Amino acid sequence: MNYCCIADDVKLGENVKLAKFINLYGCTIGDNTKIGTFVEVQKNASIGRNCKIQSHTFICEGVIIEDDVFVGHGVTFVNDKYPRSTNGNGCLQSEADWKVAPSIVKKGASIGSGATILCNVTIGESAIIGSGSVVTKDVPPFTIVAGNPASILRRINAE
């Protein structure tokens, strides 16, 4: 029995490692990336090469994760600035009723377990997001942030 749901439109690179109980559709995953158990990656999301996505993580439409990124357990990305169940007519919203608000995680960044990444943010190259943080604005490259909302703790060496 196969415990993975991988749609035909998923683009998988070479040597991708997939755990059981995952849901992938309409996304791209680069070479040598590892996807953990209970991960969902939605359409129009992209994960680069040599990434590690830990269990229970949700990567929604519009999220771009570049190469060499670590995403800890239970990380949630958000792609809607003002989420609503219904539109102005009282009907359930459809794709026509809202616009994806993307986010990008730059090369070599690390996101700690339990973090929430709100929409329209860029996490800079090699930045580190502390566990449980809520990222509400851009994170500069080579910076450690933590808290709710996440704030800069210190810069780190580019080396």
Side-chain angles (χ1 to χ4, degrees), residues 10 12 27 54-55 71-72 86 101 109 118 134:
V10 172
L12 293 177
C27 59
Q54 298 288 75
S55 70
V71 178
T86 57
L118 297 186
V134 178

Side-chain angles (χ1 to χ4, degrees), residues 83-138:
R84 295 284 184 258
S85 173
T86 57
N87 62 24
N89 297 328
C91 298
L92 284 178
Q93 277 195 351
S94 70
E95 287 189 27
D97 295 313
W98 68 284
K99 184 178 180 223
V100 171
S103 289
I104 186 166
V105 182
K106 296 288 195 169
K107 182 179 180 178
S110 292
I111 302 174
S113 294
T116 300
I117 313 301
L118 297 186
C119 56
N120 290 325
V121 299
T122 297
I123 296 174
E125 183 178 352
S126 296
I128 298 174
I129 310 301
S131 294
S133 295
V134 178
V135 177
T136 61
K137 59 186 179 183
D138 291 350

Side-chain angles (χ1 to χ4, degrees), residues 28-102:
T28 302
I29 299 174
D31 298 344
N32 303 312
T33 287
K34 181 179 179 184
I35 306 292
T37 303
F38 300 115
V39 169
E40 178 168 331
V41 184
Q42 293 186 328
K43 68 179 181 177
N44 302 319
S46 175
I47 300 172
R49 294 183 309 267
N50 303 314
C51 293
K52 190 172 185 182
I53 312 299
Q54 298 288 75
S55 70
H56 299 85
T57 288
F58 176 69
I59 300 172
C60 55
E61 180 177 4
V63 172
I64 297 170
I65 297 174
E66 293 185 348
D67 298 342
D68 307 319
V69 170
F70 174 84
V71 178
H73 300 278
V75 171
T76 300
F77 288 85
V78 177
N79 65 359
D80 189 348
K81 191 162 186 158
Y82 301 104
R84 295 284 184 258
S85 173
T86 57
N87 62 24
N89 297 328
C91 298
L92 284 178
Q93 277 195 351
S94 70
E95 287 189 27
D97 295 313
W98 68 284
K99 184 178 180 223
V100 171

